[in-house]
């Protein structure tokens, strides 16, 4: 049973740092997903030709899936969840897609608002219950107080369908 663990950050550097912390927990770069608006992608992730060599996401964001009707781009395994939801006819936006993925409504609404405000969702599917708590700690970004509450640290979202 996979559980989706999500963090919300504001900048490219914050996304890189969050991904590095997830990788330090034994996950691979390919297991980390990003979701943001096209405007945020353009602001935070330069083209791969000018991305710094240390950039974890340069090529991944360049190959991201654009969901124009919903106004965002997604890179990584979360793209399959988004594609499945869109294929099933869910067109109400990010909130509905996250709810379909098992995210509680109030968190889905907060994440949607955060993305609309220029935030970047960084997510990973936890391999075990033990990893859920650990991943919440490493995806917790103290600089994102406007998007963060204490309760967030203790939620994982069952994404089994």
């Amino acid at each position: 049973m996979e559980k989706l663990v999500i963090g919300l950050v504001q900048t490219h550097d914050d996304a890189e740092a969050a991904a590095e912390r997830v990788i330090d927990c034994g996950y691979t770069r390919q297991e980390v997903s990003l979701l943001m608006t096209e405007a945020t992608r353009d602001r935070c992730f330069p083209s791969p030709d000018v991305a710094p060599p240390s950039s974890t996401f340069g090529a991944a964001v360049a190959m991201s899936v654009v969901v124009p009707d919903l106004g965002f781009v997604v890179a990584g395994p979360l793209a399959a969840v988004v594609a499945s939801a869109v294929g099933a006819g869910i067109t109400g936006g990010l909130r509905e897609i996250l709810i379909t993925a098992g995210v509680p409504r109030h968190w889905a609404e907060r994440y949607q608002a955060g993305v609309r405000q220029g935030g970047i969702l960084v997510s990973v599917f936890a391999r075990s219950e033990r990893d859920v708590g650990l991943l919440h700690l490493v995806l917790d970004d103290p600089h994102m107080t406007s998007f963060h509450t204490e309760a967030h640290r203790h939620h994982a979202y069952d994404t089994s369908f």
Side-chain angles (χ1 to χ4, degrees):
M1 178 181 321
E2 293 186 319
K3 297 211 178 203
L4 180 63
V5 182
I6 300 173
L8 184 63
V9 299
Q10 274 291 355
T11 68
H12 174 268
D13 290 343
D14 292 342
E16 293 280 351
E20 288 303 318
R21 292 189 304 266
V22 170
I23 291 166
D24 288 345
C25 292
Y27 288 78
T28 66
R29 165 54 215 114
Q30 292 75 25
E31 292 175 286
V32 179
S33 296
L34 295 179
L35 187 144
M36 68 200 86
T37 65
E38 289 182 82
T40 299
R41 180 193 58 192
D42 294 345
R43 175 179 53 88
C44 292
F45 294 90
S47 73
D49 298 335
V50 295
S54 62
S55 176
T56 303
F57 294 116
V61 171
M63 297 186 310
S64 59
V65 176
V66 179
V67 187
D69 292 344
L70 300 178
F72 59 81
V73 297
V74 61
L78 190 59
V81 173
V82 171
S84 176
V86 170
I90 296 172
T91 58
L94 179 58
R95 180 182 70 117
E96 284 74 19
I97 290 170
L98 292 176
I99 290 169
T100 300
V103 176
R105 181 174 303 277
H106 67 281
W107 282 111
E109 289 170 355
R110 289 180 189 200
Y111 291 139
Q112 178 174 275
V115 168
R116 283 185 180 161
Q117 294 170 13
I120 303 164
L121 288 186
V122 180
S123 66
V124 64
F125 290 98
R127 296 181 194 135
S128 68
E129 285 297 322
R130 179 194 150 280
D131 283 0
V132 169
L134 178 62
L135 290 167
H136 273 295
L137 289 174
V138 302
L139 287 176
D140 181 26
D141 184 349
H143 299 104
M144 290 301 298
T145 54
S146 63
F147 297 123
H148 174 77
T149 68
E150 191 65 27
H152 178 260
R153 293 185 187 158
H154 305 290
H155 292 285
Y157 314 112
D158 183 352
T159 58
S160 57
F161 294 99

